[in-house]
Amino acid sequence: MKKYKFIDHTADVMFEAYGKTLNKIFENAALATFEVQCNLRKIERKIKKKIKLKNDDIANLLFDFLEELIYLKDARYLLFGKFRVKINKKLFGKPSSKIYILEAEIEGEKINPKKHELKTDVKAITLHKFELKKVKNGWKCRVLLDI
């Protein structure tokens, strides 16, 4: 199964990502988000960050995760090339409600324009055409990046 593919779009950058599990699709969507911005092969694993997020909607959790990555890139001047995501679903209350909990460890380094072959800067993730759905062989998402 391929990790992701880019789709032609007139003004911004759109991609679809795929994964056999929720963990994998979140990792592959993160990779696609950073491939738009730089050469992934040039990113060394010098800095590790942990991210913990919660949401009662799995698609909104993906949106929040990608937005957090963009925030770290903009606020801390970091690029990431390695993602390990673990998602758990917890039930609570009566009647039962669910919440998804994401714990991710991401690895990368400070932005260095001479080293990283910077491409297109991503400003945000948009909700336009955003989707995450279960498919026959796993999961698929579509993401539109505001550039």
Side-chain angles (χ1 to χ4, degrees), residues 1-2 18-21 134-140:
M1 172 183 276
K2 62 183 163 186
Y18 313 94
K20 290 186 182 198
T21 66
K134 184 100 171 93
V135 293
K136 185 173 82 171
N137 57 348
W139 291 86
K140 172 183 167 183

Side-chain angles (χ1 to χ4, degrees), residues 1 16 24 42-43 46 56-57 61-62 67 76 80 87 90 94 97 104 107 111 115 122 127 132 136 138-139:
M1 172 183 276
E16 286 182 352
K24 274 294 170 200
K42 303 269 179 148
I43 300 172
K46 294 180 177 179
D56 61 357
D57 180 89
L61 185 62
L62 175 61
E67 277 287 306
R76 305 281 190 262
F80 300 101
I87 297 169
K90 304 252 179 174
K94 291 183 183 178
S97 297
E107 298 178 46
I111 295 173
K115 174 183 178 181
V122 173
L127 285 172
L132 171 65
K136 185 173 82 171
W139 291 86

Side-chain angles (χ1 to χ4, degrees), residues 7-9 14-15 126-132 141-144:
I7 301 167
D8 285 337
H9 191 271
M14 183 182 288
F15 68 84
T126 69
L127 285 172
H128 181 66
K129 296 193 177 188
F130 185 88
E131 70 177 1
L132 171 65
C141 73
R142 177 174 288 149
V143 177
L144 184 62

